[in-house]
Amino acid sequence: MPISNFTTHDVRFPTSAHGHGSDARNGDPDYSCAYLKLYDGAELLGQGLTFTIGRGNELCVAAVQTLAEKVIGYSLDDFEADFGLASRLVLGDSQLRWLGPEKGVVHLAAAAVVNAVWDALAKRAGLPLWRYVCSIDPDRLLDAVDFTHISDFLAPEEALEWLEELRPTRSLRIKHLEEAGYPAYTTSVGWIGYDDHQLIQRLLAAREEGWTHFKLKVGRDLEEDRRRCRLFRDTLGSEVKLSLDANQVWGRDEAIHWVGALAEFDIHWIEEPVHPDDILAHREVAKAISPIGVASGEHAHNQVMFKQFLQARAIAFCQIDACRLAGVNENLAVMLMARKAGIPVCPHAGGVGLCEYVQHLSMIDYVCLSGSMDGRVIEHAGDLHDHFEEPIDVRGGRYFPPKRAGYSVDLREESLGAFSFPDGSFWLQKRD
């Protein structure tokens, strides 16, 4: 039976009231998502979402509604016979593509639709998404990747060779994931809106839980950043990793100066030091601050932009985003290119459903694409997970594989009802 109908929801959580998610660029985020459900008549097939931080979420909902029409009339058999079909349907409309192309609201919305189709396929197979993808033959999995604008960097034949090489040992890596989990770092301790007491308490609690890699938000005031980095080292010592995130607030020269002034605190990486589209500035910063690495990608619009970041050696850590890119298909392309470049994939996961999503992508990368965890970590942000039917399983600073069938973003019905605001009443409620 074909997909016959869908529903959308404008979901918003008032996280700004508690300082969660705050950084030098985004001072008052209300974590939100445009949420999609695909149906065959009355039967729910699959669900997908795309993340925003509040205002404008209704634009993504409208775009999801427009793009979801593209998959109506197609069956799951159709999508399983051609893993690139859903992506082509939502990205291939010439008039809609003009609104991007392959960036902005329409691209965010495409992720919700494409991911909902993959969620439906995995649920039909009775497998979590990462296990479902890891069961696909290499040549068929590459059908999901559009090589049109990236084959000058990565040839399909080369990618197929890697996948075939890793195929016989997939089961060993699956077993390792189930026993030992996947390494992670936590952002939840270091939002810029936290005062010293909150920062210290969260650092100590996280260290007690087994975390060894932490991230602090920086970029508002240099002396304040130096003080907070010193407070971090005084609290946890020198045996743990410290990464920083500037959220795009600096120019090239300012970034080089600022990171140099923080280097004494043994920084692992600086994230988004400059404008997210400025590949050449990223490269210049990377050269100047080495051996501190540059991490970026959560705002990189599409696989072509990632290709250029990797070609230019402008990043040391590749931060894919499950919703900024157009779903599973485009993330597969970027992870394959990252392997070609020898750059570890470390997904962005701050936001509604992003931890739930990207755990699958990192596990696919490890099992099928790269076969390696070297230098790789998944971001962890510790809020809102209880709103999902299968919250992430994070223990001792590691993600353990999801077991429930699908892509792990099934919002609980009570949460969906309580935090959906289709008529703008969320903002009226906040003002009151």
Side-chain angles (χ1 to χ4, degrees):
M1 296 292 291
I3 296 170
S4 60
N5 55 300
F6 62 86
T7 60
T8 56
H9 304 265
D10 185 339
V11 182
R12 313 192 190 204
F13 297 94
T15 50
S16 63
H18 310 286
H20 302 328
S22 55
D23 57 58
R25 171 70 68 185
N26 308 294
D28 61 343
D30 286 308
Y31 278 6
S32 305
C33 67
Y35 198 74
L36 171 68
K37 293 183 176 183
L38 298 177
Y39 292 88
D40 162 17
E43 181 183 356
L44 177 60
L45 299 176
Q47 301 172 78
L49 60 80
T50 198
F51 168 64
T52 78
I53 62 170
R55 287 181 291 276
N57 196 55
E58 69 279 4
L59 301 177
C60 279
V61 173
V64 168
Q65 291 168 351
T66 298
L67 292 178
E69 294 284 353
K70 298 293 181 180
V71 301
I72 297 297
Y74 291 87
S75 70
L76 296 186
D77 285 345
D78 294 328
F79 293 118
E80 194 159 54
D82 178 358
F83 290 115
L85 176 59
S87 183
R88 292 197 306 274
L89 287 171
V90 299
L91 298 180
D93 184 295
S94 64
Q95 295 183 12
L96 292 172
R97 186 179 181 276
W98 186 265
L99 302 178
E102 297 175 12
K103 62 178 71 71
V105 169
V106 288
H107 212 54
L108 291 170
V113 181
V114 171
N115 286 340
V117 170
W118 281 96
D119 179 62
L121 290 172
K123 284 174 177 170
R124 185 174 71 161
L127 295 170
L129 188 278
W130 72 277
R131 286 298 302 266
Y132 175 70
V133 173
C134 291
S135 72
I136 298 171
D137 291 341
D139 56 339
R140 296 202 61 231
L141 183 56
L142 287 185
D143 288 343
V145 177
D146 180 1
F147 284 92
T148 304
H149 299 295
I150 64 173
S151 60
D152 57 323
F153 180 62
L154 174 64
E157 297 78 13
E158 187 176 14
L160 180 60
E161 183 179 339
W162 299 336
L163 269 61
E164 292 286 7
E165 178 184 307
L166 290 171
R167 184 181 185 182
T169 55
R170 284 181 183 180
S171 61
L172 296 177
R173 288 183 294 281
I174 290 172
K175 185 173 186 290
H176 180 260
L177 280 174
E178 292 174 338
E179 292 176 351
Y182 197 104
Y185 73 92
T186 183
T187 299
S188 298
V189 297
W191 301 120
I192 210 164
Y194 289 167
D195 60 29
D196 287 359
H197 176 74
Q198 288 175 294
L199 178 60
I200 292 171
Q201 292 303 309
R202 284 175 174 262
L203 288 173
L204 292 173
R207 189 68 185 95
E208 183 67 23
E209 291 169 4
W211 291 96
T212 59
H213 188 169
F214 305 80
K215 188 170 79 177
L216 298 183
K217 298 290 187 174
V218 297
R220 282 188 178 172
D221 179 87
L222 178 54
E223 289 309 311
E224 176 65 7
D225 288 346
R226 285 178 54 80
R227 191 187 66 78
R228 291 176 83 240
C229 287
R230 185 176 294 108
L231 181 61
F232 174 92
R233 287 298 179 197
D234 289 346
T235 302
L236 296 186
S238 60
E239 300 304 312
V240 298
K241 286 183 179 177
L242 171 60
S243 293
L244 305 177
D245 188 353
N247 290 95
Q248 317 158 26
V249 297
W250 300 322
R252 183 197 63 183
D253 294 343
E254 187 180 18
I256 293 169
H257 169 72
W258 206 298
V259 176
L262 299 174
E264 66 178 277
F265 301 105
D266 189 16
I267 307 305
H268 183 59
W269 79 49
I270 180 65
E271 187 171 329
E272 287 195 316
V274 293
H275 192 285
D277 296 354
D278 196 339
I279 296 167
L280 297 183
H282 274 83
R283 185 178 66 180
E284 293 305 310
V285 172
K287 289 179 180 178
I289 68 171
S290 181
I292 297 171
V294 169
S296 197
E298 71 181 77
H299 282 84
H301 306 293
N302 53 55
Q303 63 190 45
V304 174
M305 192 169 182
F306 270 103
K307 179 187 74 170
Q308 294 178 58
F309 267 115
L310 295 167
Q311 287 174 317
R313 310 299 297 181
I315 53 175
F317 303 93
C318 177
Q319 294 187 304
I320 57 173
D321 184 287
C323 303
R324 179 73 59 182
L325 296 175
V328 172
N329 299 62
E330 197 168 24
N331 274 290
L332 288 172
V334 173
M335 289 190 289
L336 285 167
M337 288 192 291
R339 169 172 176 164
K340 166 81 177 214
I343 299 297
V345 173
C346 302
H348 166 246
V352 181
L354 294 189
C355 291
E356 283 72 16
Y357 264 154
V358 299
Q359 60 183 336
H360 292 267
L361 298 176
S362 282
M363 292 171 190
I364 292 166
D365 176 46
Y366 173 55
V367 173
C368 296
L369 309 185
S370 72
S372 174
M373 288 184 183
D374 290 348
R376 291 164 167 80
V377 281
I378 306 172
E379 183 174 18
H380 170 261
D383 299 302
L384 305 177
H385 303 298
D386 289 343
H387 294 286
F388 291 90
E389 293 287 352
E390 186 188 27
I392 55 174
D393 180 8
V394 176
R395 288 170 273 147
R398 302 179 77 86
Y399 277 78
F400 285 82
K403 296 179 172 61
R404 184 184 176 100
Y407 205 176
S408 299
V409 295
D410 294 6
L411 278 169
R412 297 182 184 277
E413 285 302 316
E414 55 268 32
S415 296
L416 200 56
F419 294 98
S420 291
F421 298 90
D423 58 357
S425 59
F426 176 76
W427 306 112
L428 295 175
Q429 177 178 305
K430 280 201 73 177
R431 285 198 293 271
D432 293 342

